[in-house]
PDB file of all heavy atoms in Angstrom:
ATOM      1  N   TYR A   1      -1.963   5.536   2.446  1.00  0.00           N
ATOM      2  CA  TYR A   1      -2.550   6.756   3.010  1.00  0.00           C
ATOM      3  C   TYR A   1      -4.033   6.559   3.327  1.00  0.00           C
ATOM      4  O   TYR A   1      -4.758   7.521   3.532  1.00  0.00           O
ATOM      5  CB  TYR A   1      -2.351   7.911   2.036  1.00  0.00           C
ATOM      6  CG  TYR A   1      -0.896   8.136   1.715  1.00  0.00           C
ATOM      7  CD1 TYR A   1      -0.305   7.570   0.586  1.00  0.00           C
ATOM      8  CD2 TYR A   1      -0.090   8.871   2.580  1.00  0.00           C
ATOM      9  CE1 TYR A   1       1.039   7.750   0.312  1.00  0.00           C
ATOM     10  CE2 TYR A   1       1.254   9.062   2.310  1.00  0.00           C
ATOM     11  CZ  TYR A   1       1.820   8.495   1.183  1.00  0.00           C
ATOM     12  OH  TYR A   1       3.157   8.672   0.919  1.00  0.00           O
ATOM     13  N   SER A   2      -4.452   5.321   3.367  1.00  0.00           N
ATOM     14  CA  SER A   2      -5.843   5.016   3.678  1.00  0.00           C
ATOM     15  C   SER A   2      -5.934   4.397   5.064  1.00  0.00           C
ATOM     16  O   SER A   2      -5.094   3.585   5.452  1.00  0.00           O
ATOM     17  CB  SER A   2      -6.418   4.040   2.649  1.00  0.00           C
ATOM     18  OG  SER A   2      -7.707   3.606   3.043  1.00  0.00           O
ATOM     19  N   SER A   3      -6.957   4.795   5.809  1.00  0.00           N
ATOM     20  CA  SER A   3      -7.208   4.186   7.113  1.00  0.00           C
ATOM     21  C   SER A   3      -8.080   2.948   6.982  1.00  0.00           C
ATOM     22  O   SER A   3      -8.365   2.266   7.959  1.00  0.00           O
ATOM     23  CB  SER A   3      -7.909   5.194   8.041  1.00  0.00           C
ATOM     24  OG  SER A   3      -9.146   5.608   7.472  1.00  0.00           O
ATOM     25  N   HIS A   4      -8.506   2.673   5.768  1.00  0.00           N
ATOM     26  CA  HIS A   4      -9.341   1.511   5.505  1.00  0.00           C
ATOM     27  C   HIS A   4      -8.522   0.243   5.695  1.00  0.00           C
ATOM     28  O   HIS A   4      -7.378   0.158   5.249  1.00  0.00           O
ATOM     29  CB  HIS A   4      -9.869   1.586   4.066  1.00  0.00           C
ATOM     30  CG  HIS A   4     -11.134   0.809   3.866  1.00  0.00           C
ATOM     31  ND1 HIS A   4     -11.157  -0.552   3.765  1.00  0.00           N
ATOM     32  CD2 HIS A   4     -12.410   1.232   3.727  1.00  0.00           C
ATOM     33  CE1 HIS A   4     -12.401  -0.950   3.575  1.00  0.00           C
ATOM     34  NE2 HIS A   4     -13.177   0.114   3.551  1.00  0.00           N
ATOM     35  N   VAL A   5      -9.098  -0.755   6.361  1.00  0.00           N
ATOM     36  CA  VAL A   5      -8.345  -1.962   6.668  1.00  0.00           C
ATOM     37  C   VAL A   5      -7.977  -2.738   5.410  1.00  0.00           C
ATOM     38  O   VAL A   5      -6.970  -3.444   5.381  1.00  0.00           O
ATOM     39  CB  VAL A   5      -9.143  -2.856   7.640  1.00  0.00           C
ATOM     40  CG1 VAL A   5      -8.333  -4.059   8.055  1.00  0.00           C
ATOM     41  CG2 VAL A   5      -9.564  -2.040   8.846  1.00  0.00           C
ATOM     42  N   LEU A   6      -8.770  -2.630   4.348  1.00  0.00           N
ATOM     43  CA  LEU A   6      -8.459  -3.313   3.092  1.00  0.00           C
ATOM     44  C   LEU A   6      -7.110  -2.847   2.551  1.00  0.00           C
ATOM     45  O   LEU A   6      -6.443  -3.576   1.808  1.00  0.00           O
ATOM     46  CB  LEU A   6      -9.559  -3.031   2.072  1.00  0.00           C
ATOM     47  CG  LEU A   6      -9.403  -3.701   0.705  1.00  0.00           C
ATOM     48  CD1 LEU A   6      -9.340  -5.202   0.847  1.00  0.00           C
ATOM     49  CD2 LEU A   6     -10.530  -3.281  -0.209  1.00  0.00           C
ATOM     50  N   ALA A   7      -6.690  -1.655   2.925  1.00  0.00           N
ATOM     51  CA  ALA A   7      -5.417  -1.121   2.441  1.00  0.00           C
ATOM     52  C   ALA A   7      -4.263  -2.037   2.802  1.00  0.00           C
ATOM     53  O   ALA A   7      -3.308  -2.183   2.031  1.00  0.00           O
ATOM     54  CB  ALA A   7      -5.194   0.273   3.033  1.00  0.00           C
ATOM     55  N   ALA A   8      -4.338  -2.670   3.950  1.00  0.00           N
ATOM     56  CA  ALA A   8      -3.238  -3.549   4.370  1.00  0.00           C
ATOM     57  C   ALA A   8      -3.068  -4.709   3.404  1.00  0.00           C
ATOM     58  O   ALA A   8      -1.936  -5.098   3.079  1.00  0.00           O
ATOM     59  CB  ALA A   8      -3.506  -4.064   5.785  1.00  0.00           C
ATOM     60  N   ALA A   9      -4.169  -5.281   2.923  1.00  0.00           N
ATOM     61  CA  ALA A   9      -4.077  -6.409   1.990  1.00  0.00           C
ATOM     62  C   ALA A   9      -3.416  -5.985   0.685  1.00  0.00           C
ATOM     63  O   ALA A   9      -2.602  -6.723   0.118  1.00  0.00           O
ATOM     64  CB  ALA A   9      -5.467  -6.980   1.724  1.00  0.00           C
ATOM     65  N   LEU A  10      -3.738  -4.795   0.187  1.00  0.00           N
ATOM     66  CA  LEU A  10      -3.152  -4.312  -1.062  1.00  0.00           C
ATOM     67  C   LEU A  10      -1.670  -3.983  -0.887  1.00  0.00           C
ATOM     68  O   LEU A  10      -0.842  -4.278  -1.758  1.00  0.00           O
ATOM     69  CB  LEU A  10      -3.922  -3.092  -1.550  1.00  0.00           C
ATOM     70  CG  LEU A  10      -5.384  -3.379  -1.935  1.00  0.00           C
ATOM     71  CD1 LEU A  10      -6.171  -2.093  -2.079  1.00  0.00           C
ATOM     72  CD2 LEU A  10      -5.447  -4.192  -3.223  1.00  0.00           C
ATOM     73  N   GLN A  11      -1.329  -3.373   0.237  1.00  0.00           N
ATOM     74  CA  GLN A  11       0.081  -3.100   0.504  1.00  0.00           C
ATOM     75  C   GLN A  11       0.878  -4.396   0.618  1.00  0.00           C
ATOM     76  O   GLN A  11       1.965  -4.539   0.041  1.00  0.00           O
ATOM     77  CB  GLN A  11       0.220  -2.311   1.802  1.00  0.00           C
ATOM     78  CG  GLN A  11      -0.315  -0.900   1.749  1.00  0.00           C
ATOM     79  CD  GLN A  11      -0.186  -0.227   3.110  1.00  0.00           C
ATOM     80  OE1 GLN A  11       0.909  -0.046   3.611  1.00  0.00           O
ATOM     81  NE2 GLN A  11      -1.305   0.133   3.704  1.00  0.00           N
ATOM     82  N   GLN A  12       0.349  -5.350   1.355  1.00  0.00           N
ATOM     83  CA  GLN A  12       1.059  -6.605   1.563  1.00  0.00           C
ATOM     84  C   GLN A  12       1.247  -7.359   0.253  1.00  0.00           C
ATOM     85  O   GLN A  12       2.294  -7.992   0.039  1.00  0.00           O
ATOM     86  CB  GLN A  12       0.304  -7.467   2.574  1.00  0.00           C
ATOM     87  CG  GLN A  12       0.346  -6.912   3.985  1.00  0.00           C
ATOM     88  CD  GLN A  12      -0.650  -7.579   4.913  1.00  0.00           C
ATOM     89  OE1 GLN A  12      -1.307  -8.557   4.534  1.00  0.00           O
ATOM     90  NE2 GLN A  12      -0.784  -7.054   6.116  1.00  0.00           N
ATOM     91  N   ALA A  13       0.231  -7.305  -0.620  1.00  0.00           N
ATOM     92  CA  ALA A  13       0.356  -7.988  -1.904  1.00  0.00           C
ATOM     93  C   ALA A  13       1.506  -7.389  -2.713  1.00  0.00           C
ATOM     94  O   ALA A  13       2.280  -8.122  -3.354  1.00  0.00           O
ATOM     95  CB  ALA A  13      -0.956  -7.879  -2.679  1.00  0.00           C
ATOM     96  N   ALA A  14       1.628  -6.049  -2.693  1.00  0.00           N
ATOM     97  CA  ALA A  14       2.727  -5.409  -3.414  1.00  0.00           C
ATOM     98  C   ALA A  14       4.073  -5.754  -2.789  1.00  0.00           C
ATOM     99  O   ALA A  14       5.057  -6.044  -3.489  1.00  0.00           O
ATOM    100  CB  ALA A  14       2.513  -3.899  -3.439  1.00  0.00           C
ATOM    101  N   GLU A  15       4.140  -5.745  -1.467  1.00  0.00           N
ATOM    102  CA  GLU A  15       5.399  -6.032  -0.788  1.00  0.00           C
ATOM    103  C   GLU A  15       5.828  -7.476  -0.993  1.00  0.00           C
ATOM    104  O   GLU A  15       7.028  -7.768  -1.096  1.00  0.00           O
ATOM    105  CB  GLU A  15       5.252  -5.709   0.694  1.00  0.00           C
ATOM    106  CG  GLU A  15       5.124  -4.210   0.966  1.00  0.00           C
ATOM    107  CD  GLU A  15       4.722  -3.905   2.392  1.00  0.00           C
ATOM    108  OE1 GLU A  15       4.388  -4.864   3.129  1.00  0.00           O
ATOM    109  OE2 GLU A  15       4.722  -2.720   2.772  1.00  0.00           O
ATOM    110  N   ARG A  16       4.861  -8.413  -1.043  1.00  0.00           N
ATOM    111  CA  ARG A  16       5.219  -9.809  -1.270  1.00  0.00           C
ATOM    112  C   ARG A  16       5.862 -10.010  -2.649  1.00  0.00           C
ATOM    113  O   ARG A  16       6.634 -10.951  -2.847  1.00  0.00           O
ATOM    114  CB  ARG A  16       3.980 -10.694  -1.124  1.00  0.00           C
ATOM    115  CG  ARG A  16       3.621 -11.021   0.320  1.00  0.00           C
ATOM    116  CD  ARG A  16       2.642 -12.164   0.401  1.00  0.00           C
ATOM    117  NE  ARG A  16       1.351 -11.825  -0.183  1.00  0.00           N
ATOM    118  CZ  ARG A  16       0.317 -11.345   0.500  1.00  0.00           C
ATOM    119  NH1 ARG A  16       0.434 -11.137   1.798  1.00  0.00           N
ATOM    120  NH2 ARG A  16      -0.806 -11.059  -0.099  1.00  0.00           N
ATOM    121  N   ARG A  17       5.521  -9.142  -3.603  1.00  0.00           N
ATOM    122  CA  ARG A  17       6.128  -9.232  -4.935  1.00  0.00           C
ATOM    123  C   ARG A  17       7.439  -8.432  -5.011  1.00  0.00           C
ATOM    124  O   ARG A  17       8.043  -8.316  -6.079  1.00  0.00           O
ATOM    125  CB  ARG A  17       5.165  -8.708  -5.998  1.00  0.00           C
ATOM    126  CG  ARG A  17       3.914  -9.556  -6.147  1.00  0.00           C
ATOM    127  CD  ARG A  17       3.173  -9.207  -7.423  1.00  0.00           C
ATOM    128  NE  ARG A  17       1.895  -9.902  -7.514  1.00  0.00           N
ATOM    129  CZ  ARG A  17       1.116  -9.895  -8.603  1.00  0.00           C
ATOM    130  NH1 ARG A  17       1.495  -9.206  -9.678  1.00  0.00           N
ATOM    131  NH2 ARG A  17      -0.030 -10.549  -8.617  1.00  0.00           N
ATOM    132  N   GLY A  18       7.849  -7.853  -3.889  1.00  0.00           N
ATOM    133  CA  GLY A  18       9.099  -7.110  -3.868  1.00  0.00           C
ATOM    134  C   GLY A  18       9.022  -5.764  -4.557  1.00  0.00           C
ATOM    135  O   GLY A  18      10.045  -5.241  -5.020  1.00  0.00           O
ATOM    136  N   LEU A  19       7.822  -5.164  -4.603  1.00  0.00           N
ATOM    137  CA  LEU A  19       7.642  -3.884  -5.289  1.00  0.00           C
ATOM    138  C   LEU A  19       7.904  -2.736  -4.318  1.00  0.00           C
ATOM    139  O   LEU A  19       7.398  -2.741  -3.190  1.00  0.00           O
ATOM    140  CB  LEU A  19       6.223  -3.789  -5.859  1.00  0.00           C
ATOM    141  CG  LEU A  19       5.813  -4.943  -6.798  1.00  0.00           C
ATOM    142  CD1 LEU A  19       4.365  -4.787  -7.222  1.00  0.00           C
ATOM    143  CD2 LEU A  19       6.729  -4.992  -8.019  1.00  0.00           C
ATOM    144  N   ALA A  20       8.655  -1.750  -4.751  1.00  0.00           N
ATOM    145  CA  ALA A  20       8.969  -0.596  -3.908  1.00  0.00           C
ATOM    146  C   ALA A  20       7.817   0.401  -3.952  1.00  0.00           C
ATOM    147  O   ALA A  20       7.460   0.907  -5.019  1.00  0.00           O
ATOM    148  CB  ALA A  20      10.257   0.061  -4.381  1.00  0.00           C
ATOM    149  N   LEU A  21       7.233   0.692  -2.789  1.00  0.00           N
ATOM    150  CA  LEU A  21       6.105   1.609  -2.720  1.00  0.00           C
ATOM    151  C   LEU A  21       6.596   3.054  -2.719  1.00  0.00           C
ATOM    152  O   LEU A  21       7.646   3.378  -2.157  1.00  0.00           O
ATOM    153  CB  LEU A  21       5.277   1.328  -1.467  1.00  0.00           C
ATOM    154  CG  LEU A  21       4.723  -0.101  -1.353  1.00  0.00           C
ATOM    155  CD1 LEU A  21       3.854  -0.219  -0.108  1.00  0.00           C
ATOM    156  CD2 LEU A  21       3.926  -0.484  -2.591  1.00  0.00           C
ATOM    157  N   SER A  22       5.821   3.930  -3.372  1.00  0.00           N
ATOM    158  CA  SER A  22       6.184   5.338  -3.501  1.00  0.00           C
ATOM    159  C   SER A  22       5.460   6.193  -2.476  1.00  0.00           C
ATOM    160  O   SER A  22       4.415   5.802  -1.944  1.00  0.00           O
ATOM    161  CB  SER A  22       5.850   5.838  -4.910  1.00  0.00           C
ATOM    162  OG  SER A  22       6.549   5.097  -5.891  1.00  0.00           O
ATOM    163  N   ASP A  23       6.013   7.400  -2.231  1.00  0.00           N
ATOM    164  CA  ASP A  23       5.413   8.345  -1.300  1.00  0.00           C
ATOM    165  C   ASP A  23       4.596   9.380  -2.055  1.00  0.00           C
ATOM    166  O   ASP A  23       4.803   9.629  -3.249  1.00  0.00           O
ATOM    167  CB  ASP A  23       6.493   9.041  -0.481  1.00  0.00           C
ATOM    168  CG  ASP A  23       7.255   8.068   0.402  1.00  0.00           C
ATOM    169  OD1 ASP A  23       6.633   7.092   0.867  1.00  0.00           O
ATOM    170  OD2 ASP A  23       8.471   8.280   0.609  1.00  0.00           O
ATOM    171  N   SER A  24       3.661   9.975  -1.333  1.00  0.00           N
ATOM    172  CA  SER A  24       2.845  11.044  -1.905  1.00  0.00           C
ATOM    173  C   SER A  24       2.737  12.170  -0.889  1.00  0.00           C
ATOM    174  O   SER A  24       2.728  11.932   0.318  1.00  0.00           O
ATOM    175  CB  SER A  24       1.449  10.520  -2.259  1.00  0.00           C
ATOM    176  OG  SER A  24       0.607  11.578  -2.657  1.00  0.00           O
ATOM    177  N   THR A  25       2.647  13.399  -1.414  1.00  0.00           N
ATOM    178  CA  THR A  25       2.512  14.557  -0.512  1.00  0.00           C
ATOM    179  C   THR A  25       1.108  15.134  -0.525  1.00  0.00           C
ATOM    180  O   THR A  25       0.815  16.060   0.243  1.00  0.00           O
ATOM    181  CB  THR A  25       3.502  15.662  -0.918  1.00  0.00           C
ATOM    182  OG1 THR A  25       3.259  16.039  -2.280  1.00  0.00           O
ATOM    183  CG2 THR A  25       4.939  15.165  -0.766  1.00  0.00           C
ATOM    184  N   ASP A  26       0.218  14.610  -1.376  1.00  0.00           N
ATOM    185  CA  ASP A  26      -1.129  15.181  -1.460  1.00  0.00           C
ATOM    186  C   ASP A  26      -2.220  14.105  -1.392  1.00  0.00           C
ATOM    187  O   ASP A  26      -3.314  14.292  -1.904  1.00  0.00           O
ATOM    188  CB  ASP A  26      -1.275  15.987  -2.752  1.00  0.00           C
ATOM    189  CG  ASP A  26      -1.142  15.111  -3.996  1.00  0.00           C
ATOM    190  OD1 ASP A  26      -0.753  13.932  -3.853  1.00  0.00           O
ATOM    191  OD2 ASP A  26      -1.446  15.602  -5.099  1.00  0.00           O
ATOM    192  N   ALA A  27      -1.895  12.958  -0.801  1.00  0.00           N
ATOM    193  CA  ALA A  27      -2.884  11.872  -0.728  1.00  0.00           C
ATOM    194  C   ALA A  27      -4.108  12.335   0.042  1.00  0.00           C
ATOM    195  O   ALA A  27      -4.007  13.021   1.061  1.00  0.00           O
ATOM    196  CB  ALA A  27      -2.265  10.651  -0.067  1.00  0.00           C
TER     197      ALA A  27
END
């Protein structure tokens, strides 16, 4: 939920470990 480009690196790191990302309604 961040427009910051660093967010992509953190998301990709989680996805590379096969971690399921959660949704939020108030980010």
Side-chain angles (χ1 to χ4, degrees):
Y1 302 95
S2 172
S3 59
H4 204 284
V5 184
L6 181 59
L10 295 166
Q11 292 177 62
Q12 291 167 6
E15 291 169 352
R16 279 195 295 267
R17 294 194 186 188
L19 305 176
L21 302 183
S22 300
D23 296 327
S24 173
T25 58
D26 64 350

